[in-house]
Amino acid sequence: MAKQRVIATAPGKINCYFRVGPPREDGYHEVASLYVAVSLTEQIEATLRTDGELQLSLEPDSPVVHDPENFPLGEGNLVYQAAQLLREHTGTTLGAELHITKRVPIAGGMGGGSADAAATLVACNELWETHLDREELGRLGARLGADVPFALMGGAAIGLGVGDQLAPLLTRAKTHWVLIPASYGLSTPRVYGMLDRLRAGMDIEVPQEIDPAVIEALMASDAQALAQVLANDLTQASLALAPELGTMRDLAEGAGALRAMVSGSGPTLALLVSDDEHAEEVMAQLGDEVGVATIPVTAPAAGAHISLSE
């Protein structure tokens, strides 16, 4: 019996380690990244349409959408692009109503759009019974963005190339984080462009590997050790575009975070803490003294998966 409705979720991510090489001729950059999926997820509810149409809608209570009226619900949205790519690849003529619930900060350096795409691929693959395996979905996802394959995989992984050459780390060791979302976004291409300008004339090597100390600390769930080795080459560019991030980072560490870092291209800040109790302490300090909104998360989290199929 054909499926009528499928709900899928996919995680946002933090880069515990992110080294960036010089720009290639195609404009992309080689990176060495250590991804961890976090417990903050995006959700796609896909309902079958037999007329071949793709129709997007936004959950009005999505907490990170500050301007719902201007949220893109057409072909420019990765949800639409993911569904259309799957249709083209498989030849199905079915359509879907795609209802988006966003919880990962938009343009926040946490791969929220990539999580949307991953959840859409999983949901529509189930809804339309197109029977692609995870490897095939990953190859399709890579065409939509470098972070989509990881949103499909989840957990923790080393990413090389442009971030799409993934090697999973088999760990269940938990780390605890507090996120500080910004009220604005930073365009990833703009952040990379600023990084290139800041490093103009410098001899930048192509990163080939992850610092073993980062992997060791993550695998051991040693927050104190991990705090000493977190690294993100995009930080200087993010701070150049949004200097207030530096002030907020200092406030977060003053409130007791083991380390505060820019997540990906920013402007979300990821604060490493030792456990749930420590997270509550840091959040209380920031909320009471500075009035900062915070979100507690843990890692690793599962990749894109189906939570309902009927």
Side-chain angles (χ1 to χ4, degrees):
M1 184 176 175
K3 304 287 192 306
Q4 297 298 311
R5 186 167 72 108
V6 174
I7 297 176
T9 60
K13 56 82 182 172
I14 292 170
N15 302 83
C16 292
Y17 184 87
F18 200 63
R19 294 300 190 198
V20 180
R24 307 188 312 195
E25 289 186 4
D26 63 4
Y28 285 94
H29 297 71
E30 302 272 335
V31 302
S33 174
L34 180 53
Y35 295 101
V36 289
V38 298
S39 55
L40 192 63
T41 59
E42 303 281 79
Q43 177 179 291
I44 302 295
E45 179 177 349
T47 305
L48 186 66
R49 290 182 67 135
T50 57
D51 60 4
E53 293 293 315
L54 295 174
Q55 189 73 42
L56 274 59
S57 59
L58 175 69
E59 173 58 42
D61 294 330
S62 295
V64 296
V65 182
H66 304 297
D67 188 7
E69 293 296 318
N70 290 316
F71 185 83
L73 292 171
E75 296 181 10
N77 193 300
L78 273 172
V79 168
Y80 186 100
Q81 294 170 24
Q84 182 62 20
L85 181 60
L86 182 62
R87 290 204 311 179
E88 292 171 355
H89 183 75
T90 61
T92 186
T93 58
L94 296 171
E97 301 273 354
L98 297 163
H99 190 63
I100 307 163
T101 301
K102 291 200 66 67
R103 303 183 186 96
V104 177
I106 297 172
M110 292 191 62
S114 296
D116 289 338
T120 301
L121 288 172
V122 168
C124 290
N125 187 51
E126 175 80 2
L127 183 72
W128 296 334
E129 298 181 334
T130 43
H131 305 299
L132 299 190
D133 62 24
R134 282 288 170 146
E135 190 174 336
E136 291 175 288
L137 290 175
R139 285 196 292 269
L140 284 184
R143 292 165 59 181
L144 296 163
D147 288 341
V148 180
F150 178 70
L152 283 160
M153 176 187 293
I158 294 168
L160 299 175
V162 295
D164 59 336
Q165 298 173 20
L166 295 175
L169 292 175
L170 301 179
T171 179
R172 293 183 180 177
K174 185 178 285 190
T175 51
H176 299 257
W177 306 79
V178 171
L179 305 177
I180 301 179
S183 60
Y184 56 90
L186 282 178
S187 157
T188 299
R190 188 174 171 221
V191 174
Y192 273 98
M194 175 59 75
L195 179 67
D196 292 338
R197 289 194 292 278
L198 291 172
R199 302 197 306 192
M202 299 171 61
D203 185 20
I204 305 298
E205 295 185 358
V206 175
Q208 303 287 347
E209 62 181 3
I210 306 298
D211 181 352
V214 183
I215 299 173
E216 183 178 343
L218 186 70
M219 298 287 278
S221 191
D222 187 338
Q224 295 286 347
L226 185 61
Q228 303 305 312
V229 289
L230 295 173
N232 181 3
D233 280 351
L234 293 178
T235 297
Q236 57 180 316
S238 299
L239 294 184
L241 292 167
E244 64 274 16
L245 288 178
T247 302
M248 187 58 67
R249 180 184 59 183
D250 294 343
L251 282 171
E253 292 182 351
L258 299 177
R259 181 82 181 275
M261 68 182 297
V262 176
S263 177
S265 55
T268 305
L269 289 176
L271 284 50
L272 180 63
V273 293
S274 53
D275 52 30
D276 288 332
E277 184 178 351
H278 187 201
E280 292 294 335
E281 292 170 359
V282 170
M283 291 166 64
Q285 184 95 345
L286 288 170
D288 293 343
E289 296 195 4
V290 196
V292 174
T294 53
I295 305 169
V297 297
T298 57
H305 61 281
I306 293 163
S307 51
L308 182 145
S309 177
E310 59 185 24

